Amino acid sequence: EDQVTQSPEALRLQEGESSSLNCSYTVSGLRGLFWYRQDPGKGPEFLFTLYSAGEEKEKERLKATLTKKESFLHITAPKPEDSATYLCAVLSGNTGKLIFGQGTTLQVKP
Amino acid sequence: NAGVTQTPKFRVLKTGQSMTLLCAQDMNHEYMYWYRQDPGMGLRLIHYSVGEGTTAKGEVPDGYNVSRLKKQNFLLGLESAAPSQTSVYFCASIRTPGQGTQYFGPGTRLLVL
């Protein structure tokens, strides 16, 4: 069964304090692992797609990495505006399903 | 290029009433998805479609039906609304696996009394 688990559920950081969010997955025929940012009252905003183990992508203070079992979203020197819920999802090549994890809510304090 | 749009943005229904939510995309995407988002539950897949004329069940399909008669539109129907269907509904689309950018609509807030 396709499944995505994110940890931690919530994370509080001081501005400038780097950390990582985890996304563990099981999926039949991975055709992409997606990261999104969601602000309250809005739809998810696409950040990255990763396709194969060893792949890395970066955008400003965010860096996403992928292994065969999990993905990490590294946040370097975060700022208060990085506060949001970060969602991970996997696309099954066998079924076409796009399954989400529960998300990690990040709060960055000045 | 409007991306993904959802209609309506907000709706109040009485228990037992029916309604249809419309998702439209102008990007020629093959794959389309309907999710519901409830507090503490994340995004749960209701139904999805991998191409015009195809639909499949997701994680929480009961009480919902869908149709994809045209490639650009994906309709979500509630035949007899229940209070448990109070939620925020999001539609999403992607061109095909391997063509990575995915787009979400702005969401539809549904309240069932």
Side-chain angles (χ1 to χ4, degrees), chain A residues 47-72:
Chain A
L47 293 173
F48 305 108
T49 309
L50 303 167
Y51 293 106
S52 57
E55 189 174 359
E56 300 182 351
K57 288 193 176 174
E58 288 187 67
K59 180 180 180 180
E60 297 180 354
R61 295 177 292 282
L62 300 176
K63 179 180 178 180
T65 62
L66 181 64
T67 72
K68 289 187 177 180
K69 294 183 178 180
E70 58 190 351
S71 177
F72 292 94

PDB file of all heavy atoms in Angstrom, chain A residues 47-72:
ATOM      1  N   LEU A  47       7.095  23.271  -4.729  1.00  0.00           N
ATOM      2  CA  LEU A  47       8.494  23.647  -4.497  1.00  0.00           C
ATOM      3  C   LEU A  47       9.447  22.843  -5.395  1.00  0.00           C
ATOM      4  O   LEU A  47      10.210  23.413  -6.164  1.00  0.00           O
ATOM      5  CB  LEU A  47       8.882  23.421  -3.034  1.00  0.00           C
ATOM      6  CG  LEU A  47       8.211  24.296  -1.989  1.00  0.00           C
ATOM      7  CD1 LEU A  47       8.580  23.828  -0.583  1.00  0.00           C
ATOM      8  CD2 LEU A  47       8.606  25.758  -2.184  1.00  0.00           C
ATOM      9  N   PHE A  48       9.426  21.504  -5.247  1.00  0.00           N
ATOM     10  CA  PHE A  48      10.388  20.649  -5.942  1.00  0.00           C
ATOM     11  C   PHE A  48       9.738  19.346  -6.386  1.00  0.00           C
ATOM     12  O   PHE A  48       8.795  18.883  -5.759  1.00  0.00           O
ATOM     13  CB  PHE A  48      11.544  20.231  -5.011  1.00  0.00           C
ATOM     14  CG  PHE A  48      12.287  21.342  -4.352  1.00  0.00           C
ATOM     15  CD1 PHE A  48      12.139  21.576  -2.993  1.00  0.00           C
ATOM     16  CD2 PHE A  48      13.169  22.141  -5.067  1.00  0.00           C
ATOM     17  CE1 PHE A  48      12.838  22.596  -2.363  1.00  0.00           C
ATOM     18  CE2 PHE A  48      13.870  23.150  -4.451  1.00  0.00           C
ATOM     19  CZ  PHE A  48      13.705  23.386  -3.089  1.00  0.00           C
ATOM     20  N   THR A  49      10.321  18.739  -7.428  1.00  0.00           N
ATOM     21  CA  THR A  49      10.079  17.343  -7.745  1.00  0.00           C
ATOM     22  C   THR A  49      11.420  16.628  -7.802  1.00  0.00           C
ATOM     23  O   THR A  49      12.366  17.134  -8.409  1.00  0.00           O
ATOM     24  CB  THR A  49       9.396  17.162  -9.108  1.00  0.00           C
ATOM     25  OG1 THR A  49       8.249  17.996  -9.189  1.00  0.00           O
ATOM     26  CG2 THR A  49       8.960  15.709  -9.291  1.00  0.00           C
ATOM     27  N   LEU A  50      11.489  15.456  -7.170  1.00  0.00           N
ATOM     28  CA  LEU A  50      12.676  14.597  -7.225  1.00  0.00           C
ATOM     29  C   LEU A  50      12.259  13.274  -7.837  1.00  0.00           C
ATOM     30  O   LEU A  50      11.175  12.751  -7.544  1.00  0.00           O
ATOM     31  CB  LEU A  50      13.244  14.374  -5.818  1.00  0.00           C
ATOM     32  CG  LEU A  50      13.626  15.645  -5.050  1.00  0.00           C
ATOM     33  CD1 LEU A  50      13.880  15.327  -3.582  1.00  0.00           C
ATOM     34  CD2 LEU A  50      14.873  16.280  -5.667  1.00  0.00           C
ATOM     35  N   TYR A  51      13.131  12.701  -8.679  1.00  0.00           N
ATOM     36  CA  TYR A  51      12.741  11.499  -9.416  1.00  0.00           C
ATOM     37  C   TYR A  51      13.512  10.251  -9.048  1.00  0.00           C
ATOM     38  O   TYR A  51      12.986   9.140  -9.192  1.00  0.00           O
ATOM     39  CB  TYR A  51      12.886  11.742 -10.919  1.00  0.00           C
ATOM     40  CG  TYR A  51      11.929  12.760 -11.450  1.00  0.00           C
ATOM     41  CD1 TYR A  51      12.362  14.040 -11.789  1.00  0.00           C
ATOM     42  CD2 TYR A  51      10.583  12.460 -11.612  1.00  0.00           C
ATOM     43  CE1 TYR A  51      11.474  14.985 -12.273  1.00  0.00           C
ATOM     44  CE2 TYR A  51       9.694  13.408 -12.101  1.00  0.00           C
ATOM     45  CZ  TYR A  51      10.143  14.659 -12.418  1.00  0.00           C
ATOM     46  OH  TYR A  51       9.268  15.591 -12.889  1.00  0.00           O
ATOM     47  N   SER A  52      14.763  10.411  -8.617  1.00  0.00           N
ATOM     48  CA  SER A  52      15.554   9.206  -8.371  1.00  0.00           C
ATOM     49  C   SER A  52      16.488   9.419  -7.193  1.00  0.00           C
ATOM     50  O   SER A  52      16.874  10.568  -6.877  1.00  0.00           O
ATOM     51  CB  SER A  52      16.355   8.852  -9.624  1.00  0.00           C
ATOM     52  OG  SER A  52      17.184   9.915 -10.016  1.00  0.00           O
ATOM     53  N   ALA A  53      16.843   8.310  -6.539  1.00  0.00           N
ATOM     54  CA  ALA A  53      17.730   8.348  -5.372  1.00  0.00           C
ATOM     55  C   ALA A  53      19.027   9.064  -5.720  1.00  0.00           C
ATOM     56  O   ALA A  53      19.611   8.827  -6.786  1.00  0.00           O
ATOM     57  CB  ALA A  53      18.000   6.941  -4.888  1.00  0.00           C
ATOM     58  N   GLY A  54      19.441   9.945  -4.827  1.00  0.00           N
ATOM     59  CA  GLY A  54      20.662  10.701  -5.036  1.00  0.00           C
ATOM     60  C   GLY A  54      20.428  12.089  -5.608  1.00  0.00           C
ATOM     61  O   GLY A  54      21.319  12.933  -5.596  1.00  0.00           O
ATOM     62  N   GLU A  55      19.232  12.330  -6.078  1.00  0.00           N
ATOM     63  CA  GLU A  55      18.922  13.624  -6.670  1.00  0.00           C
ATOM     64  C   GLU A  55      18.762  14.677  -5.583  1.00  0.00           C
ATOM     65  O   GLU A  55      18.261  14.401  -4.501  1.00  0.00           O
ATOM     66  CB  GLU A  55      17.645  13.531  -7.498  1.00  0.00           C
ATOM     67  CG  GLU A  55      17.356  14.759  -8.323  1.00  0.00           C
ATOM     68  CD  GLU A  55      16.165  14.565  -9.244  1.00  0.00           C
ATOM     69  OE1 GLU A  55      15.580  13.454  -9.256  1.00  0.00           O
ATOM     70  OE2 GLU A  55      15.810  15.523  -9.952  1.00  0.00           O
ATOM     71  N   GLU A  56      19.192  15.893  -5.881  1.00  0.00           N
ATOM     72  CA  GLU A  56      19.075  17.024  -4.972  1.00  0.00           C
ATOM     73  C   GLU A  56      18.602  18.229  -5.763  1.00  0.00           C
ATOM     74  O   GLU A  56      18.974  18.409  -6.915  1.00  0.00           O
ATOM     75  CB  GLU A  56      20.411  17.359  -4.308  1.00  0.00           C
ATOM     76  CG  GLU A  56      21.014  16.248  -3.476  1.00  0.00           C
ATOM     77  CD  GLU A  56      22.308  16.661  -2.804  1.00  0.00           C
ATOM     78  OE1 GLU A  56      22.821  17.763  -3.125  1.00  0.00           O
ATOM     79  OE2 GLU A  56      22.821  15.899  -1.972  1.00  0.00           O
ATOM     80  N   LYS A  57      17.790  19.082  -5.090  1.00  0.00           N
ATOM     81  CA  LYS A  57      17.365  20.336  -5.708  1.00  0.00           C
ATOM     82  C   LYS A  57      17.368  21.425  -4.655  1.00  0.00           C
ATOM     83  O   LYS A  57      17.083  21.163  -3.495  1.00  0.00           O
ATOM     84  CB  LYS A  57      15.984  20.199  -6.352  1.00  0.00           C
ATOM     85  CG  LYS A  57      16.020  19.357  -7.613  1.00  0.00           C
ATOM     86  CD  LYS A  57      14.754  19.472  -8.406  1.00  0.00           C
ATOM     87  CE  LYS A  57      14.901  18.683  -9.700  1.00  0.00           C
ATOM     88  NZ  LYS A  57      13.643  18.630 -10.465  1.00  0.00           N
ATOM     89  N   GLU A  58      17.675  22.643  -5.084  1.00  0.00           N
ATOM     90  CA  GLU A  58      17.779  23.767  -4.159  1.00  0.00           C
ATOM     91  C   GLU A  58      16.983  24.954  -4.652  1.00  0.00           C
ATOM     92  O   GLU A  58      16.851  25.187  -5.865  1.00  0.00           O
ATOM     93  CB  GLU A  58      19.246  24.208  -4.006  1.00  0.00           C
ATOM     94  CG  GLU A  58      20.106  23.277  -3.228  1.00  0.00           C
ATOM     95  CD  GLU A  58      21.497  23.859  -2.963  1.00  0.00           C
ATOM     96  OE1 GLU A  58      21.583  24.841  -2.209  1.00  0.00           O
ATOM     97  OE2 GLU A  58      22.462  23.335  -3.523  1.00  0.00           O
ATOM     98  N   LYS A  59      16.463  25.706  -3.667  1.00  0.00           N
ATOM     99  CA  LYS A  59      15.766  26.949  -3.971  1.00  0.00           C
ATOM    100  C   LYS A  59      15.910  27.850  -2.762  1.00  0.00           C
ATOM    101  O   LYS A  59      15.355  27.556  -1.700  1.00  0.00           O
ATOM    102  CB  LYS A  59      14.292  26.687  -4.271  1.00  0.00           C
ATOM    103  CG  LYS A  59      13.486  27.912  -4.601  1.00  0.00           C
ATOM    104  CD  LYS A  59      12.033  27.515  -4.882  1.00  0.00           C
ATOM    105  CE  LYS A  59      11.194  28.731  -5.214  1.00  0.00           C
ATOM    106  NZ  LYS A  59       9.781  28.345  -5.490  1.00  0.00           N
ATOM    107  N   GLU A  60      16.683  28.888  -2.918  1.00  0.00           N
ATOM    108  CA  GLU A  60      16.944  29.831  -1.823  1.00  0.00           C
ATOM    109  C   GLU A  60      17.462  29.079  -0.590  1.00  0.00           C
ATOM    110  O   GLU A  60      18.508  28.447  -0.641  1.00  0.00           O
ATOM    111  CB  GLU A  60      15.685  30.645  -1.531  1.00  0.00           C
ATOM    112  CG  GLU A  60      15.251  31.510  -2.705  1.00  0.00           C
ATOM    113  CD  GLU A  60      14.002  32.333  -2.420  1.00  0.00           C
ATOM    114  OE1 GLU A  60      13.389  32.163  -1.351  1.00  0.00           O
ATOM    115  OE2 GLU A  60      13.650  33.161  -3.279  1.00  0.00           O
ATOM    116  N   ARG A  61      16.747  29.107   0.510  1.00  0.00           N
ATOM    117  CA  ARG A  61      17.219  28.480   1.746  1.00  0.00           C
ATOM    118  C   ARG A  61      16.802  27.005   1.853  1.00  0.00           C
ATOM    119  O   ARG A  61      17.076  26.362   2.871  1.00  0.00           O
ATOM    120  CB  ARG A  61      16.682  29.255   2.953  1.00  0.00           C
ATOM    121  CG  ARG A  61      17.223  30.674   3.046  1.00  0.00           C
ATOM    122  CD  ARG A  61      16.597  31.426   4.217  1.00  0.00           C
ATOM    123  NE  ARG A  61      15.181  31.684   4.006  1.00  0.00           N
ATOM    124  CZ  ARG A  61      14.715  32.657   3.223  1.00  0.00           C
ATOM    125  NH1 ARG A  61      15.552  33.444   2.576  1.00  0.00           N
ATOM    126  NH2 ARG A  61      13.402  32.836   3.094  1.00  0.00           N
ATOM    127  N   LEU A  62      16.138  26.478   0.866  1.00  0.00           N
ATOM    128  CA  LEU A  62      15.619  25.122   0.889  1.00  0.00           C
ATOM    129  C   LEU A  62      16.425  24.201  -0.015  1.00  0.00           C
ATOM    130  O   LEU A  62      16.792  24.575  -1.132  1.00  0.00           O
ATOM    131  CB  LEU A  62      14.154  25.099   0.440  1.00  0.00           C
ATOM    132  CG  LEU A  62      13.175  25.911   1.266  1.00  0.00           C
ATOM    133  CD1 LEU A  62      11.789  25.854   0.639  1.00  0.00           C
ATOM    134  CD2 LEU A  62      13.123  25.434   2.702  1.00  0.00           C
ATOM    135  N   LYS A  63      16.663  22.984   0.478  1.00  0.00           N
ATOM    136  CA  LYS A  63      17.327  21.959  -0.316  1.00  0.00           C
ATOM    137  C   LYS A  63      16.636  20.634  -0.064  1.00  0.00           C
ATOM    138  O   LYS A  63      16.494  20.214   1.076  1.00  0.00           O
ATOM    139  CB  LYS A  63      18.800  21.852   0.063  1.00  0.00           C
ATOM    140  CG  LYS A  63      19.569  20.783  -0.706  1.00  0.00           C
ATOM    141  CD  LYS A  63      21.026  20.757  -0.250  1.00  0.00           C
ATOM    142  CE  LYS A  63      21.824  19.679  -0.937  1.00  0.00           C
ATOM    143  NZ  LYS A  63      23.241  19.674  -0.468  1.00  0.00           N
ATOM    144  N   ALA A  64      16.220  19.971  -1.137  1.00  0.00           N
ATOM    145  CA  ALA A  64      15.544  18.683  -1.031  1.00  0.00           C
ATOM    146  C   ALA A  64      16.447  17.581  -1.547  1.00  0.00           C
ATOM    147  O   ALA A  64      17.114  17.741  -2.569  1.00  0.00           O
ATOM    148  CB  ALA A  64      14.235  18.700  -1.816  1.00  0.00           C
ATOM    149  N   THR A  65      16.463  16.454  -0.803  1.00  0.00           N
ATOM    150  CA  THR A  65      17.253  15.294  -1.199  1.00  0.00           C
ATOM    151  C   THR A  65      16.371  14.057  -1.181  1.00  0.00           C
ATOM    152  O   THR A  65      15.327  14.030  -0.506  1.00  0.00           O
ATOM    153  CB  THR A  65      18.451  15.099  -0.255  1.00  0.00           C
ATOM    154  OG1 THR A  65      17.964  14.842   1.078  1.00  0.00           O
ATOM    155  CG2 THR A  65      19.351  16.326  -0.231  1.00  0.00           C
ATOM    156  N   LEU A  66      16.800  13.018  -1.915  1.00  0.00           N
ATOM    157  CA  LEU A  66      15.991  11.814  -2.043  1.00  0.00           C
ATOM    158  C   LEU A  66      16.855  10.561  -1.940  1.00  0.00           C
ATOM    159  O   LEU A  66      17.928  10.482  -2.557  1.00  0.00           O
ATOM    160  CB  LEU A  66      15.274  11.805  -3.395  1.00  0.00           C
ATOM    161  CG  LEU A  66      14.359  10.609  -3.689  1.00  0.00           C
ATOM    162  CD1 LEU A  66      13.179  10.570  -2.719  1.00  0.00           C
ATOM    163  CD2 LEU A  66      13.845  10.666  -5.133  1.00  0.00           C
ATOM    164  N   THR A  67      16.370   9.591  -1.126  1.00  0.00           N
ATOM    165  CA  THR A  67      16.949   8.257  -1.114  1.00  0.00           C
ATOM    166  C   THR A  67      15.850   7.289  -1.539  1.00  0.00           C
ATOM    167  O   THR A  67      14.741   7.706  -1.856  1.00  0.00           O
ATOM    168  CB  THR A  67      17.463   7.866   0.286  1.00  0.00           C
ATOM    169  OG1 THR A  67      16.333   7.623   1.150  1.00  0.00           O
ATOM    170  CG2 THR A  67      18.332   8.965   0.880  1.00  0.00           C
ATOM    171  N   LYS A  68      16.135   5.991  -1.492  1.00  0.00           N
ATOM    172  CA  LYS A  68      15.145   5.010  -1.925  1.00  0.00           C
ATOM    173  C   LYS A  68      13.975   4.882  -0.964  1.00  0.00           C
ATOM    174  O   LYS A  68      12.926   4.343  -1.317  1.00  0.00           O
ATOM    175  CB  LYS A  68      15.798   3.649  -2.128  1.00  0.00           C
ATOM    176  CG  LYS A  68      16.697   3.600  -3.347  1.00  0.00           C
ATOM    177  CD  LYS A  68      17.200   2.201  -3.619  1.00  0.00           C
ATOM    178  CE  LYS A  68      18.036   2.172  -4.894  1.00  0.00           C
ATOM    179  NZ  LYS A  68      18.540   0.814  -5.197  1.00  0.00           N
ATOM    180  N   LYS A  69      14.146   5.390   0.275  1.00  0.00           N
ATOM    181  CA  LYS A  69      13.084   5.228   1.269  1.00  0.00           C
ATOM    182  C   LYS A  69      12.574   6.537   1.850  1.00  0.00           C
ATOM    183  O   LYS A  69      11.527   6.560   2.490  1.00  0.00           O
ATOM    184  CB  LYS A  69      13.567   4.342   2.417  1.00  0.00           C
ATOM    185  CG  LYS A  69      13.848   2.919   2.030  1.00  0.00           C
ATOM    186  CD  LYS A  69      14.253   2.092   3.247  1.00  0.00           C
ATOM    187  CE  LYS A  69      14.488   0.641   2.882  1.00  0.00           C
ATOM    188  NZ  LYS A  69      14.879  -0.176   4.063  1.00  0.00           N
ATOM    189  N   GLU A  70      13.333   7.625   1.667  1.00  0.00           N
ATOM    190  CA  GLU A  70      12.922   8.872   2.295  1.00  0.00           C
ATOM    191  C   GLU A  70      13.492  10.086   1.571  1.00  0.00           C
ATOM    192  O   GLU A  70      14.426   9.961   0.750  1.00  0.00           O
ATOM    193  CB  GLU A  70      13.334   8.889   3.771  1.00  0.00           C
ATOM    194  CG  GLU A  70      14.819   8.714   4.025  1.00  0.00           C
ATOM    195  CD  GLU A  70      15.143   8.487   5.500  1.00  0.00           C
ATOM    196  OE1 GLU A  70      14.253   8.629   6.373  1.00  0.00           O
ATOM    197  OE2 GLU A  70      16.298   8.157   5.791  1.00  0.00           O
ATOM    198  N   SER A  71      12.905  11.225   1.913  1.00  0.00           N
ATOM    199  CA  SER A  71      13.382  12.489   1.389  1.00  0.00           C
ATOM    200  C   SER A  71      13.525  13.449   2.560  1.00  0.00           C
ATOM    201  O   SER A  71      12.806  13.347   3.560  1.00  0.00           O
ATOM    202  CB  SER A  71      12.397  13.055   0.372  1.00  0.00           C
ATOM    203  OG  SER A  71      12.805  14.322  -0.095  1.00  0.00           O
ATOM    204  N   PHE A  72      14.471  14.361   2.431  1.00  0.00           N
ATOM    205  CA  PHE A  72      14.669  15.389   3.436  1.00  0.00           C
ATOM    206  C   PHE A  72      14.533  16.760   2.793  1.00  0.00           C
ATOM    207  O   PHE A  72      14.960  16.975   1.652  1.00  0.00           O
ATOM    208  CB  PHE A  72      16.058  15.267   4.074  1.00  0.00           C
ATOM    209  CG  PHE A  72      16.237  14.041   4.910  1.00  0.00           C
ATOM    210  CD1 PHE A  72      16.780  12.890   4.359  1.00  0.00           C
ATOM    211  CD2 PHE A  72      15.856  14.029   6.231  1.00  0.00           C
ATOM    212  CE1 PHE A  72      16.933  11.743   5.127  1.00  0.00           C
ATOM    213  CE2 PHE A  72      16.013  12.881   7.012  1.00  0.00           C
ATOM    214  CZ  PHE A  72      16.553  11.743   6.454  1.00  0.00           C
TER     215      PHE A  72
END
